[in-house]
Amino acid sequence: MKLHEYQSKNIFAKYGVPIPPGRVAATAAEARQIAEELGGRVVVKSQVLVGGRGKAGGVKLAKSPEEAEELAAKILSMEIKGLPVRKVLVDKAANIETEIYLGVTNDRAARKPVIMASAAGGVDIEEVARETPEKIIKVHIDPLLGLQGYQTRDLAAGIDLPKEHWRAFGKICTGLWEAYYHSDATLAEINPLVITAEGELLAVDGKMLIDDNGLFRHPDLAEMRDLDVEDPTEVEARKYGLSFIKLDGNIGCMVNGAGLAMATMDITKLFGGLPANFLDIGGGANADKVAAAFRLILSDPKVEAVLINIFGGITRGDEVARGILAAMDEVKPDVPMVVRLVGTNAEEGRQLLADANMITAETLADAAKKAVAAAKGGK
Ligand code: GDP
Ligand code: MN
């Protein structure tokens, strides 16, 4: 789950990271009000879950509350990379002298979290990472020991940070690490971390990604989810307890079990199709859940055939088949359906489905071939 800038910065602040004073607004009038309260120059910032807002014109400085209102109105009517702007953050503007990059993420290859810093922070950090990766200093963190003082000093030295800022920088690194660790995050990033003309360090931008699998431990974070900006099919899937990821292909896949779902996608590719989704309907395929799964798959106009691959263990094959039939009755799909059903009472299940004019298969390879052929046959 992605968090907005204002949400991320508020979390960072709880862990002792200094952020500029400011608040979020949903209307231009509110933005003006906040600017009046803050006084002086403010920065009006679109809250959308994509990077590069500055370059897209979604971050603007205002000298007066009137200007803040004007800019907020303009930004609130924008779309940035296809996403509508529903809120703006109005922050007291910082007098920026230096922009530093600071981020914590998981280094899968090293099997450890890593903290990264660069003196070349700001809006071009992706280019820095691509062209001059040596300008990004990395230090791995032992998750049991946490970030150590000598490690933040190594980072500070690595980016040639003037000595007078080391103490403040160390505190910010520790705060960012703690925020990452205690939130079950997969990314916690400050870009830019600025040094102001007054000689202070300040997190001007913030970004966090939270591991969805850790969210049950953080109801306060789960509540921050912004449904407005997520794929509606994935929102719907979560409601029914289905694991659904939309992809680009033409074969809809409905499978029980994550491993089997991945194998099904691979086999589909092997026989010349492309999966339209990843979907794990989990155990106990009742008609409600199956119907929800059908609706999700069929809401994608690219889907030309559906491949249903069910391994009946505790759930009996005939029950699964009845569930599928009840769901089809409700959803009335207009694309060919291929079912591979194995396990307890599979024979009875297959018979029920064949009687209902569904294409049945005994092996996964056979099912994938039939689905690909059915898709080519068109609707
Ligand atoms: P991003 O483009 O989505 O990464 O948005 P940022 O919040 O990082 O803002 C982009 C750029 O706008 C920053 O790198 C700064 O150069 C500039 N900026 C953001 N906030 C301020 C501010 O308070 N004062 C000044 N002078 N510039 C700012
Ligand atoms: Mn930024």
Side-chain angles (χ1 to χ4, degrees):
M1 176 178 83
K2 291 180 186 172
L3 295 185
H4 282 295
E5 175 195 1
Y6 74 95
Q7 298 169 325
S8 307
K9 288 202 299 201
N10 286 341
I11 294 171
F12 296 166
K14 280 193 199 145
Y15 290 92
V17 174
I19 61 167
R23 265 196 355 256
V24 73
T27 66
E30 266 179 80
R32 179 196 180 116
Q33 167 85 38
I34 297 167
E36 267 163 16
E37 284 168 28
L38 291 171
R41 286 193 320 151
V42 296
V43 56
V44 182
K45 314 182 74 177
S46 54
Q47 298 298 289
V48 281
L49 298 177
V50 287
R53 297 165 306 163
K55 284 190 175 171
V59 176
K60 297 276 188 208
L61 285 164
K63 286 186 218 67
S64 64
E66 294 72 37
E67 198 183 357
E69 182 172 8
E70 268 168 47
L71 288 171
K74 199 181 287 171
I75 293 175
L76 283 167
S77 68
M78 282 173 73
E79 254 190 19
I80 297 180
K81 297 182 185 169
L83 294 174
V85 182
R86 308 254 195 239
K87 285 182 187 142
V88 291
L89 174 64
V90 183
D91 266 357
K92 198 170 173 58
N95 297 316
I96 300 179
E97 296 226 310
T98 309
E99 301 199 4
I100 296 166
Y101 172 90
L102 187 66
V104 182
T105 188
N106 201 20
D107 182 345
R108 285 168 190 269
R111 296 191 285 177
K112 272 183 188 163
V114 62
I115 183 162
M116 298 172 288
S118 177
V123 293
D124 291 321
I125 191 69
E126 277 82 11
E127 206 177 297
V128 174
R130 222 176 13 248
E131 276 155 32
T132 46
E134 70 279 2
K135 286 190 183 164
I136 300 177
I137 312 299
K138 298 182 180 179
V139 175
H140 287 99
I141 303 172
D142 184 313
L144 294 179
L145 299 176
L147 183 64
Q148 301 290 304
Y150 74 89
Q151 295 182 303
T152 64
R153 290 190 289 277
D154 280 352
L155 273 184
I159 61 168
D160 291 324
L161 186 73
K163 264 270 163 64
E164 74 249 39
H165 300 303
W166 281 29
R167 181 188 288 270
F169 180 75
K171 236 187 111 202
I172 291 170
C173 290
T174 306
L176 189 66
W177 157 251
E178 298 270 326
Y180 170 92
Y181 180 81
H182 292 293
S183 310
D184 284 319
T186 54
L187 176 76
E189 185 180 85
I190 303 172
N191 186 35
L193 171 66
V194 306
I195 305 176
T196 65
E198 299 79 25
E200 280 171 337
L201 267 65
L202 207 54
V204 157
D205 190 10
K207 179 175 176 184
M208 275 188 110
L209 300 179
I210 311 291
D211 184 344
D212 282 347
N213 293 313
L215 272 182
F216 75 97
R217 306 205 283 197
H218 309 285
D220 50 329
L221 297 179
E223 231 170 65
M224 292 182 189
R225 192 187 281 282
D226 188 347
L227 296 177
D228 246 14
V229 293
E230 293 198 346
D231 188 322
T233 53
E234 287 177 24
V235 175
E236 181 76 5
R238 212 169 23 244
K239 209 165 77 189
Y240 285 92
L242 304 163
S243 305
F244 181 86
I245 313 275
K246 199 164 145 9
L247 301 168
D248 281 333
N250 60 334
I251 312 279
C253 297
M254 191 167 104
V255 190
N256 65 336
L260 192 59
M262 287 195 274
T264 305
M265 292 160 65
D266 284 347
I267 299 263
T268 303
K269 276 192 184 175
L270 188 66
F271 290 106
L274 268 181
N277 63 279
F278 167 92
L279 171 62
D280 171 13
I281 60 169
N286 66 42
D288 268 6
K289 231 175 169 183
V290 176
F294 270 140
R295 280 195 301 270
L296 283 173
I297 292 173
L298 297 171
S299 68
D300 177 355
K302 280 196 203 148
V303 169
E304 294 172 340
V306 178
L307 170 51
I308 304 166
N309 186 15
I310 303 288
F311 181 86
I314 296 168
T315 328
R316 292 181 355 233
D318 54 325
E319 264 176 27
V320 173
R322 283 197 191 87
I324 292 173
L325 292 176
M328 282 183 66
D329 235 22
E330 187 201 320
V331 182
K332 304 207 184 345
D334 60 351
V335 296
M337 302 271 171
V338 181
V339 190
R340 180 236 182 182
L341 185 61
V342 289
T344 315
N345 288 6
E347 194 52 51
E348 291 92 318
R350 270 201 299 273
Q351 194 54 51
L352 281 167
L353 295 170
D355 290 345
N357 289 324
M358 292 185 79
I359 306 166
T360 59
E362 282 190 32
T363 67
L364 178 49
D366 185 31
K369 271 188 229 165
K370 284 177 172 164
V372 172
K376 284 191 178 135
K379 291 185 188 183

